[in-house]
Amino acid sequence: MISVLIVEDEPLIAEAHQAYLQRLEGFTVTAVAHTAREAMRAAGEAAANEIPIDLVLLDIGLPDASGIALASGLSGLRPAPDIIAITSERDLEMVRAAVGHGALAYLLKPFTFAAFRDRLERYQRYREALPAGTDAASQAEVDRALAELRVTGGRSAAPKGAAAGTNDEIARAVRDSADGITADAVAKQVGVSRVTAWRYLERLADEGTVTRHTDYGKAGRPKTRYQWR
């Protein structure tokens, strides 16, 4: 079982990450931290008790310190946990800094459960591809393990038959709408037909990324609003 520390300053997002992990086999949430200090304490105590954290889902924007600084601190633990950076930060220098401080993967908010699952399952295969123990792996083993972390073609995960870019844009439209959004509104915002928007929204709802709410209004046909879960 892969033990996970979730580091996220927004409680609702931390709960969402925890709910996502509960839907995956082979992962268990050991602790949730909302600040860098809480995260360092939780990881340090786990290492001291010889039940170290295997993976940290790390938000880069924390209230008391940068996630990059926290990643540097976590690298000093023995054994050091692996890191997957989860953030809305799109600055390429920040991406390079995160990778340079040990992030094995980088997930941009907002993302779908499919994208989350893809990264976590790739990480799981990466761990399985490395030999047990502390002896150096062969070049072939190292190459095979690292290959598991790569997303082929550089595209994010999307449901079968869906375009990754459109999937992400529609997911972002829902995430950025505080009170939910209809298929009509998404279509206008993203620049696709209403039917296309509805099809992607229904897929997101079926996989549990968004929820459906029926808005009956005062007149006319009821409308379905989609809200980020």
Side-chain angles (χ1 to χ4, degrees):
M1 190 70 73
I2 297 172
S3 62
V4 182
L5 167 62
I6 296 172
V7 185
E8 169 59 60
D9 64 323
E10 296 187 35
L12 288 178
I13 296 179
E15 288 178 14
H17 294 167
Q18 191 164 1
Y20 277 0
L21 280 167
Q22 289 172 349
R23 296 169 63 181
L24 300 177
E25 293 184 3
F27 295 90
T28 182
V29 178
T30 299
V32 177
H34 301 297
T35 65
R37 180 174 296 181
E38 288 177 7
M40 201 67 215
R41 183 187 306 119
E45 289 176 356
N49 292 330
E50 298 185 351
I51 48 172
I53 301 294
D54 296 315
L55 175 65
V56 178
L57 300 184
L58 176 60
D59 179 24
I60 298 298
L62 296 171
D64 59 337
S66 121
I68 302 299
L70 175 56
S72 180
L74 291 170
S75 68
L77 297 175
R78 291 294 178 269
D82 293 323
I83 295 171
I84 293 180
I86 299 182
T87 178
S88 58
E89 180 60 65
R90 284 165 167 75
D91 182 77
L92 290 179
E93 286 301 319
M94 187 67 73
V95 174
R96 292 188 187 99
V99 172
H101 285 79
L104 294 176
Y106 203 94
L107 261 175
L108 288 175
K109 301 175 185 175
F111 49 82
T112 63
F113 172 67
F116 182 91
R117 179 181 58 201
D118 177 75
R119 296 305 189 280
L120 271 291
E121 288 180 348
R122 285 178 183 279
Y123 171 72
Q124 199 171 36
R125 293 194 297 270
Y126 157 78
R127 286 178 59 91
E128 292 170 353
L130 290 174
T134 57
D135 291 339
S138 69
Q139 184 66 53
E141 288 171 326
V142 172
D143 290 345
R144 185 166 59 251
L146 292 176
E148 294 294 351
L149 293 171
R150 301 189 192 108
V151 179
T152 57
R155 300 182 66 183
S156 59
K160 185 177 180 181
T166 304
N167 196 72
D168 289 346
E169 285 188 59
I170 288 176
R172 189 176 299 113
V174 181
R175 176 66 181 272
D176 292 345
S177 177
D179 299 320
I181 191 168
T182 65
D184 287 330
V186 169
K188 292 177 183 177
Q189 184 172 327
V190 177
V192 296
S193 70
R194 182 193 178 284
V195 172
T196 297
W198 173 80
R199 179 163 52 87
Y200 279 83
L201 288 166
E202 283 297 302
R203 279 174 169 159
L204 291 171
D206 288 342
E207 71 178 23
T209 302
V210 305
T211 57
R212 303 179 185 90
H213 301 281
T214 302
D215 185 0
Y216 291 96
K218 295 182 179 179
R221 295 177 59 187
K223 293 185 177 181
T224 300
R225 301 185 73 83
Y226 299 86
Q227 194 159 19
W228 193 260
R229 187 165 186 173

